[in-house]
Amino acid sequence: MKKAKTMTVKKVNPIAAFFKDSAVKWYDWAILGALVLFCFLVFQMRDLLHTAGCSYGYLNGHVWDFYDYLAAEGIDENGLAGLHASYLPTTYFIFAIWNLPMKIFGIVKTPSAVLGLVPVMWAKLLPAIVYFMGAFVFFRIGKELGLGDRKAKIATYAYVTVPMALFGQFILGQYESFLVFSILMGTYFWLKKKPFWFVFWFTIGMTFKYTAILFFLPLLLLREKNFWKILLQFLGALSLTAVEILFYWHSPSFREYGFGIGSSATPVTSYAFNASYETGFVFTNVHYSVYLVIIALALVMAYSYFLKPKSDEEERRYAVFLPALSFAAMFCFTKWHAHWLMTVIPFWTLGAFMTRHTKIWLILELFFMVLFAAFNVQFFQFFHDEALLTHGIFKNLLPNGQPGNSFNMIELFGIVPGNIVLSLLTALILIFAVFRHPKFMVDDLTLSEERSLGWLRARYVIGLLVFIVPAMIALATSIRPANSAYSETRWEAEATVNGQEIAQPFTANGDTLKKLVFRLVTDETNEGAEMTLKIADNASGETPLYEKTYRVSDYNGGERIIVKPKLELENGKTYYLVLSAEGCKTDEAAEVMIARSAAEGLKNALVDGKEADFRLTLDVYD
């Protein structure tokens, strides 16, 4: 009897298979790699330093008292004692494992937000790896939805090159990719109809950031209509979060800071309810309002629940549409941070490749990125502008470690008023959600989109360059020596200008005052307040050489005030920048940034004619 021939199945490397037979060529990945590497090395926001720095608390053996240990022994961004961890422990634990080499080799010994280039780049590498790991999950989701192998590869390339995502991951250097990976995994198992793993991955995602619930609930309610099943899965998704909260509830620092940015006394996350209208209900002098974000989210969740898809295919199409709609319901009515957009981008990209006019969506993404760059520079001054250079490879080229000289990015991106920028971005977030409804989706999802590759490439290359080029100009002008009459870039505290005059002396080094930059800090009590700026040759500001009045409510949080008076000066003579404010409801309504550390050659400011123990954070170019 002849032996039956045995067939050997050749194992296929999934990574090699992904790059095989793809319309996306090797040079596409090479261009992306070059841009990503440049952004990875050159830019970095300080958030990562804080979070990665906190993780060393675990490596020092402090598990039970992690949050209190950081508050007592950690070093913050200004080199001062006190490091306040504002996330649940999952994020810090993951970074702690990754940062083991830094601890073993003695590169970082104590929890600190003041990190050198090597530990910063090492910490930045982990979320970057997770970012590209998510791309392979995205590819599997695309195939599961019916895009087909070839189109799913193009969509995956589109996903990893969305300029807003690249900005968040490689310019800001954020770790949102942890949450995005969890969302992608949860969505994949939802599509595979495996409820346990769907809940499992969202359970993990919830411990990174609570915004995971914006994507979990629509998917849950779209499929499950049984109350007890909904309740069980919802509680399951919250289970790990509850365990972590209970484990650290004994910690005063955790209770104070562990539920988000800011302390419990002044929760920054309360801005989620800023968009509201008064109902007329008043009780004991309290005016009760209706919060628009709650109404919008409630409507989306109700729509998800009452929706009855006619087929599995229709249900899957709604699974792309509803999470984007949920995101829009939240972020059209609240303040948001740039990197939070990364969570919705998988659904935006899938929607773009499942609906008609993919090319138009790619063009709109480029338009979004231009506005997004302006949004970052305007609304996150000192953080999302040339300040991102301070933790990259060029930081040692910057005078005093700070960029900004004769050019600041706000001078370019501040041309369009912030209200218009934010309004257009909000409109686009709604458009990206509403017009990717299943009724706008094509019947045959495998239809080729190779003709869109040109715009696909252009939208991320041009989109990134919109930010990179001005940043490089700021770097170049920072390196080039400038004729400076006064330069104090440190920001160590704030001093109020409410009801008092602060006069900062400086000595002219040239014959023309070309530019003056200082930092104003405001809060919600600034309505009706006005600040007066004078430049005079005397500390009292009498008979000023230059004078200008500012409406304080025009400024948001902490902003640069750039003045270009073109004022003739006498070389070697002492002049004074004099600031004062009136109409403030509180001292915090109008404050200026100051520095107290010793500085050679710089004189202290005067407050109402008396010498103070600080100097203004100020640059004067002549």
Side-chain angles (χ1 to χ4, degrees), residues 131-312:
Y131 179 83
F132 286 110
M133 286 171 56
F136 286 97
V137 184
F138 180 92
F139 173 64
R140 298 291 295 272
I141 290 172
K143 291 186 69 175
E144 200 66 33
L145 286 167
L147 294 184
D149 186 81
R150 193 169 177 85
K151 186 174 180 180
K153 289 174 180 176
I154 299 174
T156 302
Y157 183 70
Y159 164 63
V160 297
T161 58
V162 172
M164 293 80 76
L166 292 173
F167 183 90
Q169 188 60 64
F170 298 101
I171 292 181
L172 296 183
Q174 283 290 339
Y175 30 90
E176 213 79 8
S177 56
F178 298 164
L179 171 57
V180 175
F181 185 80
S182 299
I183 292 172
L184 286 167
M185 290 295 290
T187 303
Y188 175 73
F189 283 110
W190 185 92
L191 292 168
K192 298 292 285 185
K193 295 188 176 181
K194 295 184 177 180
F196 174 82
W197 292 108
F198 161 62
V199 174
F200 173 83
W201 280 104
F202 272 101
T203 301
I204 295 174
M206 215 77 75
T207 64
F208 293 127
K209 285 188 179 175
Y210 308 123
T211 47
I213 203 167
L214 296 176
F215 306 95
F216 173 74
L217 278 180
L219 293 175
L220 173 63
L221 295 171
L222 175 62
R223 177 162 292 166
E224 293 294 348
K225 308 303 178 183
N226 181 284
F227 172 78
W228 297 111
K229 288 183 178 181
I230 292 171
L231 181 62
L232 182 64
Q233 293 187 40
F234 178 70
L235 293 176
L238 296 178
S239 60
L240 185 56
T241 299
V243 168
E244 294 188 359
I245 290 173
L246 289 172
F247 185 82
Y248 281 106
W249 192 252
H250 68 278
S251 165
S253 293
F254 174 76
R255 294 197 302 270
E256 183 75 5
Y257 295 97
F259 295 96
I261 303 168
S263 69
S264 60
T266 56
V268 180
T269 47
S270 63
Y271 52 56
F273 306 109
N274 284 349
S276 63
Y277 64 87
E278 290 193 6
T279 59
F281 286 103
V282 182
F283 183 71
T284 60
N285 294 324
V286 177
H287 293 259
Y288 290 88
S289 299
V290 170
Y291 298 129
L292 297 181
V293 66
I294 292 178
I295 293 175
L297 285 173
L299 288 172
V300 172
M301 300 313 157
Y303 179 53
S304 302
Y305 178 77
F306 290 112
L307 196 61
K308 306 287 187 191
K310 297 176 182 177
S311 64
D312 282 354

